[in-house]
């Protein structure tokens, strides 16, 4: 079959985030984050666990870089724990905390692995939350302080910067639905938080560029194509609304410098903007619209949307289980690789970001070691291969896709699911901290080395 294949220089990476792997929650001056507090409240984490130790990556980072080296991955996307660097959120930098990332970056570069650094992957310092968190505009400037401190130290060596990871999850899951820290259930707060997240992104971009002069800056969004559950007018309208809340609410300000009018009206109808949008001040949207170098896309599944059978007060679009879920992962997420092609093509057509990178894609499957101690996670191999074919289809269609990061290097703390959901291509025994490269890890290694899809899936 004639195919263009992955371009030369395509970035092959793996991804993690600080809170999910580091542990060492009170070591070397790290302060508490909202996720520490959320996990400490009983009932919020499915298995009652917390991330005080997690993968103990803080102490084992050299071993974990060794694993990446043995897998031949070219790039590693990690995040910086804000409460390590600025334990109370702003003010005096905790040198020991920043030193950790300095050592990490040097060790990555020594192993010829390119560091891709995310500045915010959800672990807001609790003292900032105590002052209102992302719903308080002063958190915008606190984030810029973080961006400045981290890029001033690492900007000579780190060439790829991601301001935020999935601001929709931070704002909506964290502030409207209460499924993520800080566990609020107030839509008004969620919308204010979303604006402050976007503003902090835009305001940080020139600061990062000033410190990391050869660096490229982007943001990572969770993008899902939104399909109506039926061809009915009501479902089509709901699908468009949901696409607005999930995708366009973030993309339009970043790329066009405006909020989508239909989504503003939808939020108004729902009573979420009772006073209008006074939190959007003159000049904010120009800042958010600051040009960026690439768009990071996290893709796991599509959204299938049905209109609620309206009592008027509750006509929110609903995402529903897919009509024909041929396969579901342990998260209950449908395996739908076509959605990745659709998302990438759509982003390229509608927003022309210049460069797209899949900054997360992967699957939660519990498969553990067999009697011989190998992990034959054939379903994950299948998931990854099919999504890589979806990437190729997007490249064939002209999408400037420059990299792919598999989520995740390690099994880790999967937020409110705790340790029950395993996304790693490396198995982690959380009692002993033993690591075992899964069959998917070996397959991915072949893919990276060949710059092309490998069919073989064996541990
Ligand atoms: C994404 C998060 C990441 C991980 C995956 C499964 O939404 O960015 O930290 O939890 O989902």
């Amino acid at each position: 079959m004639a195919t263009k294949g992955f371009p030369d220089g395509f970035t092959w990476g793996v991804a993690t985030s600080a809170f999910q792997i580091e542990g060492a929650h009170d070591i070397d001056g790290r302060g508490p984050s909202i996720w520490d507090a959320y996990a400490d409240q009983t009932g919020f984490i499915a298995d009652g666990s917390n991330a005080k130790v997690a993968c103990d990556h803080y102490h084992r980072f050299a071993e974990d870089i060794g694993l990446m080296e043995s897998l031949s991955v070219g790039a590693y996307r990690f995040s910086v724990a804000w409460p390590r660097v600025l334990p109370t959120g702003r003010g005096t930098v905790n040198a020991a905390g920043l030193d950790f990332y300095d050592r990490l970056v040097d060790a990555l570069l020594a192993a010829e692995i390119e560091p891709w650094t995310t500045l915010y992957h959800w672990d807001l310092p609790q003292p900032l939350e105590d002052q209102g968190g992302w719903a308080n505009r002063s958190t915008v400037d606190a984030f810029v302080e973080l961006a400045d401190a981290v890029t001033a130290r690492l900007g000579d060596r780190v060439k790829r910067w991601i301001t935020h990871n999935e601001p929709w999850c931070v704002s909506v899951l964290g502030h409207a639905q209460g499924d993520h820290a800080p566990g609020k259930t107030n839509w008004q707060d969620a919308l204010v938080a979303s604006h402050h997240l976007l503003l902090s992104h835009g305001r940080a971009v020139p600061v990062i560029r000033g410190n990391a002069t050869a660096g490229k800056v982007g943001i990572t969004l969770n993008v899902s194509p939104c399909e109506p559950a039926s061809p009915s007018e009501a479902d089509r309208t709901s699908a468009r609304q949901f696409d607005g809340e999930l995708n366009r609410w973030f993309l339009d300000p970043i790329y066009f410098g405006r909020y989508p009018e239909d989504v503003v009206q939808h939020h108004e109808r729902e009573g979420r903007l009772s006073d209008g949008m006074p939190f959007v001040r003159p000049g904010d949207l120009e800042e958010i619209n600051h040009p960026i170098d690439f768009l990071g896309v996290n893709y796991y599944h599509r959204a299938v949307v049905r209109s609620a059978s309206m009592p008027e007060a509750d006509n929110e679009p609903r995402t529903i289980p897919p009509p024909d879920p041929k396969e579901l992962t342990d998260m209950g997420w449908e395996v739908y690789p076509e959605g990745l092609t659709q998302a990438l093509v759509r982003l390229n057509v509608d927003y022309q970001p210049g460069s797209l990178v899949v900054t997360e894609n992967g699957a939660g499957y519990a498969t553990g070691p067999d009697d011989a101690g190998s992990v034959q996670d054939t379903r994950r191999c299948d998931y990854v291969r099919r999504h890589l074919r979806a990437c190729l289809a997007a490249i064939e269609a002209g999408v400037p896709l420059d990299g792919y990061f598999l989520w995740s290097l390690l099994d880790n703390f999967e937020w409110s699911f705790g340790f029950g959901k395993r996304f790693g291509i490396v198995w982690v025994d959380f009692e002993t901290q033993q690591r075992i490269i899964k069959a998917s890890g070996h397959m991915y290694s072949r893919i990276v080395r060949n710059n092309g899809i490998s069919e073989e899936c064996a541990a």
Side-chain angles (χ1 to χ4, degrees):
M1 188 176 43
T3 144
K4 276 192 196 157
F6 291 97
D8 290 342
F10 191 79
T11 297
W12 293 104
V14 288
T16 64
S17 86
F19 189 77
Q20 294 176 276
I21 63 165
E22 284 181 2
H25 71 110
D26 58 357
I27 303 287
D28 292 340
R30 179 188 180 277
S33 77
I34 54 173
W35 271 95
D36 294 292
Y38 191 72
D40 279 346
Q41 295 174 53
T42 48
F44 284 167
I45 308 297
D47 60 0
S49 63
N50 59 55
K52 290 182 167 55
V53 177
C55 307
D56 197 28
H57 171 79
Y58 189 77
H59 297 115
R60 294 168 194 266
F61 75 91
E63 177 188 348
D64 292 337
I65 291 174
L67 281 169
M68 286 187 257
E69 218 178 345
S70 76
L71 293 172
S72 306
V73 298
Y76 176 47
R77 174 177 176 237
F78 63 94
S79 78
V80 169
W82 187 339
R84 277 194 205 290
V85 177
L86 293 164
T88 58
R90 57 195 312 174
T92 311
V93 170
N94 173 37
L98 206 41
D99 286 350
F100 169 69
Y101 298 104
D102 203 74
R103 292 196 297 277
L104 179 71
V105 164
D106 281 347
L108 286 166
L109 292 173
E112 294 182 16
I113 299 168
E114 188 180 36
W116 287 55
T117 307
T118 305
L119 289 166
Y120 187 68
H121 201 128
W122 305 357
D123 44 359
L124 188 75
Q126 183 61 35
L128 291 182
E129 183 59 35
D130 296 340
Q131 294 157 42
W134 284 109
N136 181 342
R137 193 173 167 103
S138 70
T139 298
V140 172
D141 292 325
F143 176 77
V144 176
E145 276 187 37
L146 171 78
D148 188 26
V150 175
T151 56
R153 180 74 179 271
L154 305 180
D156 56 336
R157 285 155 290 155
V158 175
K159 306 291 180 225
R160 295 288 185 279
W161 293 95
I162 294 166
T163 53
H164 283 285
N165 181 70
E166 303 187 349
W168 178 86
C169 292
V170 177
S171 48
V172 176
L173 297 184
H175 295 76
Q177 298 183 4
D179 295 330
H180 277 190
K184 291 187 183 169
T185 50
N186 178 321
W187 259 104
Q188 173 93 19
D189 278 354
L191 296 177
V192 175
S194 69
H195 180 66
H196 291 158
L197 285 154
L198 285 166
L199 182 59
S200 74
H201 154 80
R203 205 168 270 184
V205 172
V207 173
I208 298 168
R209 289 229 169 89
N211 288 331
T213 41
K216 294 198 186 305
V217 191
I219 186 170
T220 281
L221 304 178
N222 48 312
V223 180
S224 288
C226 302
E227 295 177 19
S230 81
S232 77
E233 190 58 36
D235 284 353
R236 294 218 313 263
T237 302
S238 284
R240 169 126 186 108
Q241 268 172 22
F242 192 72
D243 175 63
E245 286 183 23
L246 178 73
N247 300 320
R248 290 181 288 121
W249 187 256
F250 297 90
L251 287 157
D252 286 17
I254 292 169
Y255 285 102
F256 305 145
R258 58 166 189 261
Y259 283 103
E261 193 46 42
D262 62 314
V263 189
V264 173
Q265 285 167 10
H266 168 66
H267 288 315
E268 275 169 356
R269 276 195 306 274
E270 295 291 314
R272 299 166 182 166
L273 291 169
S274 44
D275 308 326
M277 295 174 71
F279 50 88
V280 182
R281 298 198 188 155
D284 284 3
L285 282 156
E286 287 76 6
E287 283 192 82
I288 296 171
N289 185 215
H290 213 107
I292 50 176
D293 300 303
F294 65 93
L295 177 65
V297 178
N298 290 356
Y299 177 79
Y300 289 94
H301 55 82
R302 67 174 164 172
V304 179
V305 187
R306 182 161 61 205
S307 78
S309 46
M310 329 211 157
E312 268 312 306
D314 182 21
N315 61 1
E316 180 59 0
R318 296 291 154 95
T319 57
I320 57 161
D324 177 21
K326 290 194 206 64
E327 300 143 88
L328 298 178
T329 68
D330 288 356
M331 298 292 280
W333 295 347
E334 181 194 21
V335 179
Y336 191 71
E338 300 90 321
L340 177 54
T341 314
Q342 287 162 11
L344 292 169
V345 168
R346 181 266 180 113
L347 289 167
N348 192 40
V349 169
D350 287 0
Y351 298 98
Q352 299 170 328
S355 170
L356 282 154
V357 176
V358 174
T359 41
E360 284 180 31
N361 174 242
Y365 291 118
T367 328
D370 59 21
D371 290 344
S374 346
V375 184
Q376 296 288 351
D377 57 338
T378 45
R379 298 182 74 196
R380 181 172 291 100
C381 286
D382 184 59
Y383 181 100
V384 170
R385 272 196 302 260
R386 287 164 63 190
H387 284 77
L388 288 175
R389 285 198 196 100
C391 289
L392 274 180
I395 292 169
E396 296 265 306
V399 172
L401 182 66
D402 292 320
Y404 174 92
F405 287 76
L406 211 166
W407 183 273
S408 178
L409 172 66
L410 302 169
D411 291 338
N412 60 46
F413 181 81
E414 179 46 38
W415 307 111
S416 41
F417 296 92
F419 294 103
K421 308 289 180 220
R422 291 177 175 269
F423 278 84
I425 56 171
V426 174
W427 168 269
V428 178
D429 179 326
F430 294 106
E431 297 294 315
T432 63
Q433 293 298 341
Q434 190 199 355
R435 277 94 159 117
I436 301 170
I437 297 176
K438 302 180 190 180
S440 58
H442 293 292
M443 180 196 74
Y444 192 55
S445 181
R446 278 186 291 278
I447 290 173
V448 170
R449 282 180 276 126
N450 299 339
N451 199 34
I453 296 168
S454 158
E455 298 300 325
E456 197 185 327
C457 174

